[in-house]
Amino acid sequence: MSLEMHAQSISVIVPLYNVERYVCACVESVLAQTYPHWELLLVDDGSTDSTPQLCDELATSDTRINVFHKPNGGPSEARNYGLDRAQGDFLVFLDGDDMLAPEAMRNLLEEYNRSEASVVAGGFIKVREDCAFAEASRLLEKSRARKESDATAVVDDADEAIIENLYQRRDHSPWGKLYRRDVWRTLRFREGTIYEDLDIFYHVYRAAGKVAFIPATVCFYRQRPTSFMHAFDLRRADVLDVTDRLLEWSRRQCREIERAAQCRRLSAHCNILGLLMARSCDSLPAEKREQILLRCREVILADGVECARNPLAPRKIKSAMRLLRVAGFKIFSFLLSLNYRK
């Protein structure tokens, strides 16, 4: 059904794959929004559980819910599918196992109206895997009661926002943010890329020109031990290509962005080195494993000294590079792997 025309309508795009345990709470959180002018696009990405049937049932409860079923292609393809069909003036991405805080849309939109930043990002609260929407909302209220904060929004230009994200002081996930739709006019998520958020956020921020960050919680992030970010998967080595592309792009920008991108790439290579040293993987040929380890080693040794000297580099980078200098690469690799062992 077409979205009723309003001056400021929001399209919520939710990619879904085998999330039968969570999709109802996800949709419930959208239905509970204090801002009413939205459409919800549920993109079923070829689920093999009861997610498709649940989506169809949920759509009967509200005409603003639109369901699309497509063959499995991954979250990037599912989000792009939603982008091509969204009718709102603004966009919000939400993962199928997460939930929006009740005033998320209203808080994000109020900041847009104040600052006219084309991307507005909010905070998030981590919740248990089995947390219901009502419980998450109560946790938010308790958190507000404990914290009497006078924090206000921070508005950065695109380059400032990119640099802050590359130094990992802010979150670059697609969810938890409001985007003016024209920001995505020529942009789409790279399909087949696991770290699609890191791969595109700097292009999005450049297209936006200005990015606002508000202290309000807008999303409940469900911690799932079986999710991609909480499990070892060899696809995670994809971040090496993503950060290589990032650094290549940064070299055509200002020196400040390049230095931040160099630190982000170093962090990614340390992460993959630690994972591969800590975990055995029978499906990975030994030759391929050695290639990845060598690739990580080359970047760490090439960029480590310069990143350690960067006064803006994260503390964990500086500490890791001090350890490398004192202990040597072999001992450094072993100690790094201890962080990834169960």
Side-chain angles (χ1 to χ4, degrees):
M1 182 174 179
S2 297
L3 179 63
E4 183 180 353
M5 292 305 295
H6 289 279
Q8 295 182 313
S9 55
I10 300 174
S11 295
V12 184
I13 299 172
V14 185
L16 301 160
Y17 181 72
N18 289 356
V19 287
E20 60 184 2
R21 292 181 57 190
Y22 315 108
V23 63
C24 292
C26 176
V27 173
E28 180 186 1
S29 76
V30 178
L31 291 170
Q33 290 299 297
T34 58
Y35 187 78
H37 306 311
W38 51 262
E39 66 167 352
L40 175 59
L41 288 75
L42 299 176
V43 184
D44 166 41
D45 190 36
S47 297
T48 57
D49 63 0
S50 63
T51 298
Q53 294 77 24
L54 289 170
C55 288
D56 291 338
E57 292 173 10
L58 289 164
T60 65
S61 66
D62 195 300
T63 58
R64 294 171 294 180
I65 301 176
N66 305 286
V67 178
F68 304 92
H69 301 286
K70 59 176 290 298
N72 180 253
S76 290
E77 185 179 303
R79 289 194 186 102
N80 290 341
Y81 191 96
L83 280 168
D84 292 339
R85 289 156 179 81
Q87 300 180 52
D89 303 301
F90 298 87
L91 303 171
V92 168
F93 296 105
L94 179 65
D95 286 351
D97 53 354
D98 294 336
M99 300 169 283
L100 289 178
E103 297 181 359
M105 293 189 204
R106 188 176 298 280
N107 286 333
L108 292 167
L109 197 53
E110 283 180 353
E111 176 55 33
Y112 168 78
N113 289 327
R114 187 191 71 82
S115 64
E116 295 188 342
S118 295
V119 176
V120 181
F124 65 93
I125 291 178
K126 294 179 180 179
V127 298
R128 299 189 324 273
E129 182 179 14
D130 61 349
C131 185
F133 173 64
E135 180 184 358
S137 299
R138 288 193 295 272
L139 289 173
L140 177 57
E141 290 303 317
K142 290 180 181 178
S143 174
R144 286 173 177 166
R146 287 195 302 267
K147 289 194 296 184
E148 293 286 337
S149 176
D150 295 326
T152 58
V154 175
V155 182
D156 290 340
D157 67 29
D159 286 1
E160 290 172 334
I162 290 169
I163 289 169
E164 285 294 294
N165 273 270
L166 293 178
Y167 283 129
Q168 302 180 70
R169 291 193 278 265
R170 293 207 175 113
D171 179 72
H172 56 252
S173 301
W175 46 262
K177 298 173 178 65
L178 178 81
Y179 306 86
R180 212 168 68 183
R181 192 173 72 172
D182 60 2
V183 168
W184 290 88
R185 183 173 57 86
T186 62
L187 295 174
R188 290 296 184 268
F189 292 96
R190 187 188 296 270
E191 297 177 7
T193 297
I194 300 301
Y195 286 83
E196 72 278 3
D197 48 358
L198 180 58
D199 196 58
I200 198 172
F201 89 90
Y202 49 99
H203 298 298
V204 171
Y205 285 7
R206 270 291 176 83
K210 189 162 59 172
V211 183
F213 300 87
I214 63 174
T217 295
V218 300
C219 191
F220 301 126
Y221 174 72
R222 197 183 298 276
Q223 294 184 289
R224 294 172 57 196
T226 57
S227 72
F228 170 72
M229 294 309 298
H230 289 87
F232 176 66
D233 190 314
L234 285 174
R235 295 174 300 164
R236 295 183 73 161
D238 182 63
V239 75
L240 305 183
D241 293 333
V242 169
T243 53
D244 280 352
R245 285 193 294 269
L246 167 62
L247 185 61
E248 181 181 355
W249 171 84
S250 75
R251 287 172 174 157
R252 302 190 296 272
Q253 317 306 316
C254 64
R255 176 59 177 156
E256 289 78 8
I257 290 180
E258 182 182 356
R259 295 185 76 191
Q262 186 180 39
C263 282
R264 185 63 185 87
R265 186 174 77 142
L266 177 65
S267 177
H269 284 67
C270 287
N271 183 43
I272 297 304
L273 172 65
L275 283 168
L276 282 181
M277 292 293 293
R279 311 289 177 87
S280 61
C281 187
D282 297 335
S283 63
L284 180 65
E287 183 179 355
K288 180 64 176 176
R289 181 177 183 274
E290 289 305 312
Q291 289 175 354
I292 296 174
L293 289 173
L294 178 61
R295 182 177 177 181
C296 293
R297 183 179 189 275
E298 289 176 348
V299 168
I300 292 168
L301 294 179
D303 293 350
V305 173
E306 185 171 353
C307 288
R309 291 174 178 168
N310 182 346
L312 298 178
R315 184 178 302 175
K316 65 179 182 179
I317 289 288
K318 292 178 177 292
S319 298
M321 293 306 100
R322 280 197 297 268
L323 175 62
L324 173 62
R325 186 176 67 251
V326 172
F329 190 83
K330 186 174 182 179
I331 295 176
F332 166 78
S333 300
F334 171 74
L335 294 176
L336 183 66
S337 72
L338 297 179
N339 293 321
Y340 299 90
R341 297 180 190 273
K342 290 184 177 179

